[in-house]
Amino acid sequence: MAHDRFGNLTGWDLEGFHSGGDTEAWRRLGAHVVTVHDDERGELSGTRFAVWAPNAQRVQVMGDFNWWQADEMELIPGTGVWGIWKEGVGAGAKYKFKVQGADGNWHEKVDPYAFRAETPPYNASIVHTTHHEWAPGEDAWLSHRAETDPYHRPMSIYEVHLGSWRKTMDYRQLAQALPEYVSWMGFTHVELMPVMSHPLEASWGYQVTGYYAPDERLGSPDDLKVLIEALHAAGIGVILDWVPGHFPKDDWALGRFDGTALYEHADPRQGEQPDWGTYVFNYGRNEVKSFLVSNALYWVSEFHIDALRVDAVASMLYLDYSRAEGEWIPNRFGGRENLEAIDFLRYVNKHLYERQPGVMMIAEESTSFSGVTAPVHEGGLGFGFKWNMGWMNDSLEYLKLDPIYRQYHHNDLTFAMVYAYSENFILPISHDEVVHGKGSMVDKIPQDDWRKFATLRTFYSFMWSFPGKQLLFMGQEFGQRAEWDESKGLEWWVDGMHWHKGLRDLIRELNLLQAQVPPLYLHDHEPEGFRWINANDWMANTYSWLRFGQDGDMVACIANFSPEPYVAYGLRVPRAGVWREILNTNDARWDGDGDHLNGARLAVPRDDGDAEVVVSVPPMAAVWLRYDPDADEQHLSQG
């Protein structure tokens, strides 16, 4: 043998992959430019191709380096992995695997571990070697992230579909525009809808065909790193949507990869997701676990992603998810829980939290499954945060009502406090709520523009002062009227218009105020941070509550979802003295009419030890008052 025909890859290197313990499987499988030693010619450069296909009869690699013919690959003994090293093949080469399945049929397949893929509708994999050198500031960012406590800091998330935020912008152009805008708006994080390679733009990235390859529509993997680096330089954390729950059935991708159900279950009662027409990963197979846990670590370590938001967790947890009786197989105890998926989620969460200091794992989970954000060692799933889908659904149903009917649904906005501390919640208004006939946030609200935008200002103020972190989908910050359409992009031309500009400027103010006022974030996940003042004023469609910080720092919040003003609304507060208005959504700055502003108000003692402050509450508006222990009470009046 003149040189290593497998490009320095051995069966020993793949033991972890087969045991489910290889958390960096991308370093071994896929296409890698490597140098091998030839006894006669010395060091030779080429690309090593390796692919797992244990039930294939033959596997070939074909590409632009061999005129798309075929080179036979060989089984690495005892591994089920086929390998070949091709001299002279370097970065930029396009390739596919040609797999003859156990049934004798041939299929062209893309590389499951490809780092780069062609722009759809083309789908060849591309040999890729990164040339991006992270700026010195990245080390400081990662060090800061490792020391940050996300639970006791402000977190407001701007959810973005990169392909339509500013239509026609690529990763490098976005690197100039997106960090500046997000920073100016005061958001702490962006959440990127999946950037993994996907064939259909209308899937928004949730039907992934290349788990390790960023979407080539907007640029190369190194271009994406430029965007992430720019966001970090602006102080913005990057959350990436991750889809380990299911994958599409395109015959050139993961499905039936070697002619058998390799990545998925063979039985459709376990291996297919009827809602989306997709395959479900086989979480009990060690090589699949290695593939997925490695993928999670890949985005965090190689792209410096700060958090993964795991999509459709409920579909992973339950064997009967969206299935009728007889269409699912119970677990070994006769239950509906997917024990293998639960073990996998605990494994990946535990590994990432231990391996990457400061990383966050976020669950999009819509059921009452217990312990989603409890630590693994306490029997939980080990996520850091969970989307509060119940709060979201209840809130949006309330907003759709004509104000005269809201009094009969008052508990829609109070019920979330019953379970507010059962998990570490994020309050999401996501892309899913403004598509497919659901209407934009503006269109959900009945009656005229004054009521629509005043109600939205009130609701967002309610959301930003309610326990939990906040997430808002792009375009909703300036009140886009149309449903989001990924093919058209956002309606940026309205963001400077009346109503729209006021709403956008209010969102900015909410973010800036939250960062400056610890009671609005410090105890988001702890009961001592919240207390109702009056949760039961249903006849007035009004809610009032307190948020607490440290050392007596507190804010009283009022939200009036009625079109009626309340010029002398009494609030029972813990301290007598000065309470100073820090937010009034009826302020002219936010396109309100400027009436019913409060300035500073004096709370007078009550016989029971509390105090009462009387405020003027505008119609369809929110008011925040912060206790000011240093104010001079002698110069204040009740007026």
Side-chain angles (χ1 to χ4, degrees), residues 551-611:
D551 303 322
D553 194 6
M554 66 188 90
V555 175
C557 306
I558 312 100
N560 175 14
F561 288 96
S562 157
E564 301 298 323
Y566 304 112
V567 296
Y569 196 87
L571 297 173
R572 182 173 176 172
V573 293
R575 296 284 182 88
V578 176
W579 290 74
R580 194 176 303 278
E581 186 174 78
I582 60 173
L583 180 77
N584 189 316
T585 64
N586 198 44
D587 196 303
R589 291 183 294 166
W590 328 126
D591 294 337
D593 62 20
D595 293 339
H596 304 285
L597 304 184
N598 289 281
R601 293 295 176 109
L602 183 64
V604 298
R606 292 165 47 104
D607 293 340
D608 58 10
D610 281 342

Side-chain angles (χ1 to χ4, degrees), residues 190-222:
V190 294
E191 179 173 319
L192 307 181
M193 291 165 68
V195 302
M196 298 81 175
S197 182
H198 55 282
L200 183 64
E201 188 176 7
S203 79
W204 312 327
Y206 292 100
Q207 298 220 2
V208 179
T209 50
Y211 274 81
Y212 289 81
D215 183 12
E216 191 77 5
R217 293 175 179 91
L218 304 183
S220 72
D222 283 359

Side-chain angles (χ1 to χ4, degrees), residues 160-169 193-194 198-206 215 217-218 431-432 434-437 473-474 476 480 482-491:
V160 177
H161 178 263
L162 290 175
S164 61
W165 183 74
R166 290 278 190 183
K167 202 68 178 172
T168 75
M169 280 192 176
M193 291 165 68
H198 55 282
L200 183 64
E201 188 176 7
S203 79
W204 312 327
Y206 292 100
D215 183 12
R217 293 175 179 91
L218 304 183
H431 66 276
D432 269 335
V434 293
V435 292
H436 297 160
F473 181 57
M474 65 181 196
Q476 306 316 306
Q480 174 164 307
E483 283 191 337
W484 170 59
D485 183 341
E486 81 286 337
S487 68
K488 296 179 180 178
L490 299 184
E491 297 178 344

Side-chain angles (χ1 to χ4, degrees), residues 278-307:
T278 51
Y279 287 130
V280 177
F281 282 106
N282 182 352
Y283 305 104
R285 191 160 198 167
N286 286 336
E287 294 86 354
V288 174
K289 287 194 287 188
S290 289
F291 174 80
L292 288 172
V293 70
S294 294
N295 189 243
L297 182 63
Y298 172 76
W299 290 103
V300 172
S301 63
E302 300 300 305
F303 285 82
H304 293 189
I305 296 297
D306 302 295

